[in-house]
Amino acid sequence: MSASDGLSDHAPVLTAHRAGLVGCRGCGRVWPETTDVCGRCGAPLVPPDRRSLQAVWAWWLAGLIFYIPANLWPMLRTQSFLGLAGNTEATILGGVIDLMHYGNYGIAAIVFVASIVVPIGKFVVIAWLARVAGKPASVEAAHTRLRALEAVEFIGRWSMIDVFVVAILSALVQLGFVASIHPGPAAVSFALSVAFTMLSALSFDPRLIWRGLPLRTRRDRTAE
Amino acid sequence: MIEAGQYDMRTGAGLIACPRCDALHVEAELTEGETARCVRCGHVLARPREGAFTQIVALSFTSLVLMVAAVFFPFLEVSRMGIGNATSLFGVAMAFSEGWLMPLTVAVLAFIVGLPALRAVLLVYVLLPMRGQGRPARHAGEAFRLSELLRPWSMAEIFVIGTSVALVKVAGLATVSLGPAFWAFCALIIVGAASDVFTCAATIWDTLEDRGAFTDGREVVPDPETAAHDRQIVEGTPPAPDHAA
Ligand SMILES: [Zn+2]
Ligand SMILES: [Zn+2]
């Protein structure tokens, strides 16, 4: 598996789409454009088309909607009868501030990055990629966009850390009258928000980064 | 069947399209240790490793054993003023079992136990029969595709980092001791990372195809001489400029 179109060093790269073919995003096999399903891996064959961005935007919006209550509602409820604190509820940001309060700056930084910087960064990057997708780009710009997408794909899953932390703390800290921790409703909306943004990034077709594909006309769209 | 290095621009036989940028490449059989990169975006198209199937099967079995240990042994234990509490991995997931948080229990169990275990089983199912010159099992293609689709959702390594964060949070509140399940989980992420190094999806697809899982006449017959020639072409070629608009 190698060699470009094999014609010349300076020829523009030939893409499957330009050649009237469709490439499988699952396994790389190339099929005639009218084929629906890859005969090798069973993945649906979709030409690089801006219509696929609708799914990206739908998941993106769902992720954003759930991200708001995830930050407003409590992530953890702590009951402590001996401590001075009594019953406290902590939001994501509150948890980070608590950690800093106790001098755990390293862990505070991890939680802050995983639960606040990464999710917001993901919304911004996916929105940017979806906005500029299919618009002409220089080779450098395309590489930058692809790296941004790879970063989002790689880092997005790690936001789930906070959900696991809540689960572990709630399972572990059940010490009767000393202290007990229960999960708050924000855990669910945060988990959903992370899952939806992961789906948004996964439904982004990176092939759109590499070439300006014209939007189909409205008539074409309704015809199919 | 078509010879290596030959391709058909009308049907796409003998060609590979980069899944990241759609650039067409002529399919060639690589030897172990070689890496094929996309000329346009640099994405790794194939990177076969020597003895990879045996290694992945062994590592998948190891991770299944570790997963069983992680589920059944105690995970963490805390104590404070004579009151103690221990939890297993299952207990961690059950933390969300109150009221309407319930679906999260299922999701957490799937992310940290179910999906990693399922992926290991699928890889064993696909690769164990194909060690040596064996023929693939039935539906091996579907099984491998499912395993690849589940990859981002298998979050064992993220759970381990989550555990360390939780330990720091608890440290001020109570004394914590780590159970065997915790160490099993740490070993699990190392095994998983090693398995990923050996996994080359393109090689597995090629092997599935060459061994007869798919008989649509598009499989490329290995021809080392032509393959070597093709590679020479690529290796001397800098990424071609992208004029596509
Ligand atoms: Zn395919
Ligand atoms: Zn590429």
Side-chain angles (χ1 to χ4, degrees), chain B residues 17 31 48 52-53 57 66 70 80 101-102 125 128 135 150 154 171 184 187 191 197 228 236:
Chain B
T31 53
F53 290 2
V57 168
L66 287 168
R80 170 84 190 266
L101 297 177
M102 188 63 198
Y125 178 79
L128 188 62
R135 288 178 59 84
L150 294 178
S154 143
V191 172
V197 168

Side-chain angles (χ1 to χ4, degrees), chain A residues 23-31 37-45, chain B residues 145 205:
Chain A
C24 173
R25 280 187 64 201
C27 70
R29 228 329 142 250
V30 182
W31 302 92
V37 173
C38 175
R40 177 155 79 163
C41 71
L45 294 172
Chain B
R145 174 153 177 266
W205 286 123

Side-chain angles (χ1 to χ4, degrees), chain A residues 32-213:
Chain A
E33 210 164 29
T34 48
T35 321
D36 292 328
V37 173
C38 175
R40 177 155 79 163
C41 71
L45 294 172
V46 193
D49 191 307
R50 293 201 68 192
R51 278 180 302 169
S52 66
L53 293 175
Q54 287 172 4
V56 176
W57 282 116
W59 290 123
W60 184 88
L61 192 66
L64 191 66
I65 288 170
F66 280 95
Y67 187 63
I68 296 163
N71 278 279
L72 298 178
W73 290 345
M75 200 76 171
L76 281 176
R77 295 177 209 276
T78 311
Q79 289 178 318
S80 162
F81 298 108
L82 290 183
L84 296 168
N87 292 7
T88 53
E89 296 192 334
T91 56
I92 293 176
L93 196 62
V96 174
I97 294 168
D98 276 353
L99 279 169
M100 284 171 63
H101 208 72
Y102 292 110
N104 294 317
Y105 293 104
I107 297 291
I110 290 181
V111 177
F112 183 73
V113 169
S115 332
I116 293 169
V117 177
V118 168
I120 293 174
K122 262 170 66 174
F123 287 123
V124 173
V125 171
I126 296 174
W128 167 61
L129 284 172
R131 290 274 304 161
V132 298
K135 306 223 171 89
S138 66
V139 182
E140 290 76 25
H143 274 103
T144 311
R145 291 182 199 174
L146 188 66
R147 269 197 295 275
L149 177 69
E150 276 165 359
V152 164
E153 281 175 338
F154 175 77
I155 236 165
R157 316 157 58 231
W158 286 89
S159 298
M160 217 48 113
I161 281 185
D162 225 27
V163 176
F164 294 146
V165 170
V166 171
I168 294 162
L169 286 179
S170 316
L172 200 57
V173 185
Q174 295 297 337
L175 298 172
F177 64 88
V178 180
S180 65
I181 293 180
H182 297 278
V188 174
S189 54
F190 189 75
L192 282 173
S193 171
V194 174
F196 288 149
T197 36
M198 279 174 71
L199 286 167
S200 176
L202 287 170
S203 34
F204 184 81
D205 186 344
R207 298 173 302 180
L208 288 176
I209 288 173
W210 292 89
R211 49 177 300 156
L213 287 161

Side-chain angles (χ1 to χ4, degrees), chain A residues 1-32 39-44 48 73 76 78 82 95-96 99 104 107 110-111 134 136-139 142-143 146 149-150 153 157-179 181-189 191-192 194-196 198-199 202 205-213, chain B residues 7-30 36-37 39-43 45-46 75-81 83-88 91-93 95-96 98 100-101 104 108 111-112 141-142 145 149 151-159 161-170 173-174 176 201-203 205-206 209 214 216 218-220 227 230-231 233-234 236-245:
Chain A
M1 202 168 317
S2 49
S4 60
D5 50 303
L7 296 173
S8 136
D9 288 4
H10 305 291
V13 173
L14 184 65
T15 64
H17 187 71
R18 280 196 153 196
L21 299 162
V22 59
C24 173
R25 280 187 64 201
C27 70
R29 228 329 142 250
V30 182
W31 302 92
R40 177 155 79 163
C41 71
W73 290 345
L76 281 176
T78 311
L82 290 183
V96 174
L99 279 169
N104 294 317
I107 297 291
I110 290 181
V111 177
S138 66
V139 182
H143 274 103
L146 188 66
L149 177 69
E150 276 165 359
E153 281 175 338
R157 316 157 58 231
W158 286 89
S159 298
M160 217 48 113
I161 281 185
D162 225 27
V163 176
F164 294 146
V165 170
V166 171
I168 294 162
L169 286 179
S170 316
L172 200 57
V173 185
Q174 295 297 337
L175 298 172
F177 64 88
V178 180
I181 293 180
H182 297 278
V188 174
S189 54
L192 282 173
V194 174
F196 288 149
M198 279 174 71
L199 286 167
L202 287 170
D205 186 344
R207 298 173 302 180
L208 288 176
I209 288 173
W210 292 89
R211 49 177 300 156
L213 287 161
Chain B
Y7 55 90
D8 186 336
M9 286 306 291
R10 279 166 299 122
T11 64
L15 293 169
I16 285 290
C18 172
R20 298 249 129 191
C21 72
D22 213 30
L24 280 178
H25 301 74
V26 177
E27 189 173 11
E29 303 278 328
L30 298 189
R37 281 180 186 278
V39 289
R40 193 191 206 184
C41 72
H43 177 69
L45 296 170
F75 183 54
L76 296 170
E77 197 174 341
V78 284
S79 61
R80 170 84 190 266
M81 303 167 96
I83 302 175
N85 181 44
T87 183
S88 65
V92 170
F96 294 120
E98 308 167 18
W100 62 282
L101 297 177
L104 200 50
V108 166
F111 288 153
I112 63 181
E142 286 94 331
R145 174 153 177 266
L149 286 177
R151 184 190 285 273
W153 303 97
S154 143
M155 301 186 175
E157 74 277 25
I158 298 171
F159 181 72
I161 303 297
T163 310
S164 350
V165 174
L167 288 179
V168 172
K169 283 197 166 190
V170 173
L173 194 70
V176 189
T203 314
W205 286 123
D206 273 357
E209 200 169 45
F214 315 96
D216 63 348
R218 293 165 66 105
E219 44 287 341
V220 171
D230 278 349
R231 272 195 302 285
I233 298 175
V234 214
T237 312
D242 175 18
H243 299 304

